[in-house]
């Protein structure tokens, strides 16, 4: 029996970290209101104008998002994936058009391009931030490039200054996948303000959740009307109920989802602050652990909504202990963490081989990444100290398991 919990020693920590989401009286009240209202979704009775007046939870949620994001329009839909699919269809992407995207993301950021016949082109990430690298974007541009899908990984916004310059030079459309970045700001600006269309997810793991759900925001009236139509089975915006203007699908959100999202929004800022403070605390404490390198945050992106706390693990400082064993040892100490995506998306077998799969930084990060999820960041400073203690303990006694 050794010192480390994985070899039978005492655990660093016995208590669990906070469970998310937190359920409030407001959640219960609003969902009951939605139920009793009898209007459970957008219906034939809601013309596009009267539904605004009806002001159910769907419309309230949209209003909240357009205020938060400082955009003219917001559209609530069934999921973040739906929002992305709608976005790519809204910009009128055509077969063979190329869209630049990071390979270090969830599959929906790429499947939305493929769904309508576009071709994803993978640009490498930046070693320090793990977000798409502007330099790599420029290397991927061709005559067929139409747009960039910007994934704000772990809540950190991409380098918008550099990317706006590129978009302007090459006339590219910017779609944000802000599933991780609901409260993040670039200086004072929101990702919604800085993108042509910006998509959010309210899925259960996200910082703001109602189980499943998505929101799309934009400042462009024509995009909004087209997106509205697509999410409504292609019904013409402000048209008759059985009048169609495009090929759409049913991407609608229900009132139940919206009711929970509106209720959860009330404490959204409070939890964002807690996660932020804890992340800063962790970064500071990790400074003196060799081989542990937290992801760096660009100063313009300092208002970062931490969806994940991420760091790279260098086994050379842990006597060659593999990342897999390190994570398992840390889990045994009572600290939840995992390896994240594990592989660049161009290696996912069901995705068509696009021919460009040379993203060396992504390859390295996929091998070194360690993720701590947002619910863990909702703990106290003492909880954060346990994370540090656990890592230091493994560093001290790694000879027990590194062989
Ligand atoms: C969660 C997520 C999505 C998809 O959102 P869903 O609401 O689950 O469909 C898209 N992109 C990223 C980066 C995500 O993490």
């Amino acid at each position: 029996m050794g010192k480390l919990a994985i070899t039978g020693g005492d655990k660093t920590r016995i208590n669990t970290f906070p469970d998310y989401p937190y359920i409030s009286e407001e959640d219960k009240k609003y969902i009951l209101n939605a139920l009793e209202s009898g209007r459970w979704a957008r219906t034939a009775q809601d013309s596009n104008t009267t539904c605004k007046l009806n002001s159910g939870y769907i419309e309230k949620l949209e209003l909240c998002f357009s205020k938060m994001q400082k955009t003219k329009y917001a559209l609530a839909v069934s999921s973040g994936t739906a929002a992305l699919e709608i976005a790519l269809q809204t910009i009128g992407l055509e077969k063979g058009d190329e869209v630049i995207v990071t390979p270090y993301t969830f599959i929906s950021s790429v499947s939305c391009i493929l769904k309508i016949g576009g071709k994803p082109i993978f640009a490498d990430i930046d070693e320090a931030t793990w977000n798409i690298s502007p330099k790599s974007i420029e290397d991927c541009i061709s005559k067929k490039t139409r747009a960039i899908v910007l994934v704000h990984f772990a809540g950190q916004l991409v380098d918008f200054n550099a990317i706006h310059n590129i978009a302007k030079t090459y006339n590219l459309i910017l779609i944000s996948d802000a599933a991780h970045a609901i409260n993040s700001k670039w200086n004072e600006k929101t990702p919604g303000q800085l993108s042509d269309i910006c998509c959010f997810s309210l899925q259960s793991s996200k910082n703001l959740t109602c189980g499943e759900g998505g929101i799309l925001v934009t400042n462009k009236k024509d995009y909004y009307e087209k997106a509205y139509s697509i999410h409504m089975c292609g019904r013409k915006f402000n048209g008759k109920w059985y009048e169609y203007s495009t090929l759409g699908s049913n991407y609608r959100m229900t009132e139940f989802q919206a009711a929970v999202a509106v209720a959860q929004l009330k404490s959204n800022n409070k939890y964002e602050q807690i996660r932020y403070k804890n992340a800063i605390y962790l970064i500071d404490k990790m400074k003196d652990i060799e081989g542990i390198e937290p992801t760096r945050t660009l100063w313009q992106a300092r208002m970062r909504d931490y969806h994940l706390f991420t760091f790279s693990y260098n086994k050379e400082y842990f006597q060659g202990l593999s990342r897999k064993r390190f994570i398992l040892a840390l889990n045994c100490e009572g600290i939840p963490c995992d390896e994240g995506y594990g592989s660049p998306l161009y290696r996912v077998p069901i995705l068509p081989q696009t021919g460009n799969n040379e993203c060396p930084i992504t390859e390295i990060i996929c091998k070194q990444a360690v993720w701590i999820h947002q619910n863990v960041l909702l703990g106290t400073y003492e909880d954060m100290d346990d994370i540090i203690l656990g890592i230091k303990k493994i560093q001290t006694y790694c000879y027990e398991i590194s062989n």
Side-chain angles (χ1 to χ4, degrees):
M1 190 163 114
K3 291 279 186 194
L4 296 174
I6 195 174
T7 57
D10 290 337
K11 290 172 80 147
T12 303
R13 178 187 171 88
I14 293 155
N15 295 338
T16 55
F17 284 90
D19 267 334
Y20 194 77
Y22 300 129
I23 301 154
S24 70
E25 287 308 311
E26 222 119 46
D27 293 296
K28 296 178 197 168
K29 195 175 118 195
Y30 287 12
I31 203 160
L32 196 62
N33 283 348
L35 180 77
E36 288 172 344
S37 77
R39 183 212 183 231
W40 293 351
R42 282 186 164 132
T43 69
Q45 279 73 45
D46 306 325
S47 77
N48 296 312
T49 37
T50 57
C51 75
K52 297 277 184 246
L53 301 173
N54 262 355
S55 226
Y57 286 109
I58 296 167
E59 292 72 32
K60 283 200 177 75
L61 182 64
E62 289 172 342
L63 206 62
C64 288
F65 262 79
S66 53
K67 271 193 190 144
M68 271 167 61
Q69 287 296 313
K70 301 180 192 146
T71 55
K72 288 198 187 121
Y73 308 100
L75 180 70
V77 296
S78 50
S79 70
T81 305
L84 285 163
E85 289 180 7
I86 294 168
L88 273 289
Q89 196 184 334
T90 295
I91 64 168
L93 201 72
E94 283 165 18
K95 248 196 165 56
D97 281 350
E98 294 180 356
V99 180
I100 298 171
V101 63
T102 169
Y104 196 70
T105 181
F106 183 60
I107 195 163
S108 299
S109 332
V110 173
S111 58
C112 64
I113 302 165
L114 290 160
K115 278 262 164 135
I116 52 164
K119 186 176 173 192
I121 304 291
F122 293 105
D124 208 353
I125 56 176
D126 177 87
E127 197 170 11
T129 68
W130 303 7
N131 267 336
I132 198 164
S133 128
K135 163 82 180 63
S136 179
I137 291 176
E138 284 208 276
D139 293 343
C140 290
I141 287 171
S142 81
K143 284 202 181 85
K144 290 184 179 162
T145 312
R146 285 284 314 284
I148 315 175
V149 172
L150 301 168
V151 179
H152 308 288
F153 177 72
Q156 166 157 229
L157 299 185
V158 297
D159 186 346
F160 267 117
N161 294 2
I163 289 169
H164 275 165
N165 282 337
I166 296 171
K168 220 167 145 189
T169 308
Y170 299 96
N171 194 24
L172 305 177
I173 300 167
L174 299 180
I175 308 287
S176 268
D177 175 348
H180 297 182
I182 217 146
N183 295 300
S184 300
K185 304 266 181 345
W186 182 258
N187 292 320
E188 299 303 314
K189 292 248 167 92
T190 70
Q193 287 175 292
L194 295 168
S195 317
D196 294 291
I197 300 180
C198 180
C199 301
F200 299 91
S201 164
L202 308 178
Q203 178 263 348
S204 12
S205 72
K206 303 294 153 57
N207 290 15
L208 174 74
T209 180
C210 57
E212 296 286 358
I215 309 271
L216 173 159
V217 301
T218 182
N219 269 320
K220 295 193 158 78
K221 188 164 183 273
D222 54 337
Y223 280 175
Y224 169 70
E225 292 183 358
K226 188 157 174 204
Y228 190 100
S229 166
I230 294 165
H231 107 295
M232 262 281 175
C233 303
R235 288 188 166 90
K236 191 170 176 219
F237 186 81
N238 273 337
K240 297 199 195 82
W241 190 244
Y242 291 118
E243 189 181 4
Y244 306 99
S245 60
T246 183
L247 208 56
S249 188
N250 181 350
Y251 288 121
R252 293 188 295 262
M253 180 184 268
T254 67
E255 278 286 290
F256 306 115
Q257 288 165 287
V260 176
V262 171
Q264 289 277 319
L265 257 177
K266 304 216 160 176
S267 34
N268 177 44
N269 280 107
K270 186 169 90 193
Y271 300 139
E272 177 208 350
Q273 300 292 327
I274 297 171
R275 286 188 294 258
Y276 186 82
K277 271 198 215 148
N278 279 327
I280 300 298
Y281 185 81
L282 274 179
I283 290 169
D284 188 55
K285 297 274 167 181
M286 284 179 173
K287 274 190 190 133
D288 51 58
I289 310 180
E290 280 189 308
I292 299 292
E293 191 76 45
T295 318
R296 205 167 60 79
T297 301
L298 299 175
W299 68 266
Q300 298 96 332
R302 65 195 176 278
M303 276 175 73
R304 168 172 168 184
D305 195 359
Y306 278 84
H307 175 57
L308 300 161
F309 184 92
T310 51
F311 60 87
S312 65
Y313 167 77
N314 185 343
K315 66 179 179 187
E316 280 167 34
Y317 294 90
F318 290 77
Q319 300 195 14
L321 180 71
S322 71
R323 176 186 59 171
K324 196 173 167 193
R325 292 282 281 168
F326 168 78
I327 287 173
L328 189 63
L330 203 52
N331 292 161
C332 290
E333 294 297 335
I335 315 299
C337 61
D338 58 51
E339 64 168 36
Y341 296 130
S343 95
L345 273 183
Y346 49 75
R347 287 205 193 294
V348 171
I350 58 137
L351 296 179
Q353 293 307 305
T354 56
N356 91 308
N357 45 12
E358 295 282 318
C359 296
I361 307 291
T362 308
E363 298 283 343
I364 294 169
I365 297 304
C366 281
K367 290 193 181 83
Q368 297 190 340
V370 180
W371 293 11
I372 295 174
H373 291 257
Q374 58 104 354
N375 66 298
V376 173
L377 294 179
L378 288 168
T380 60
Y381 282 155
E382 289 73 36
D383 295 331
M384 300 306 111
D385 287 336
D386 284 343
I387 298 174
I388 301 299
L389 277 175
I391 296 172
K392 285 186 169 166
K393 187 178 165 193
I394 295 171
Q395 193 157 49
T396 308
Y397 299 106
C398 55
Y399 60 82
E400 288 182 354
I401 50 173
S402 57
N403 58 58

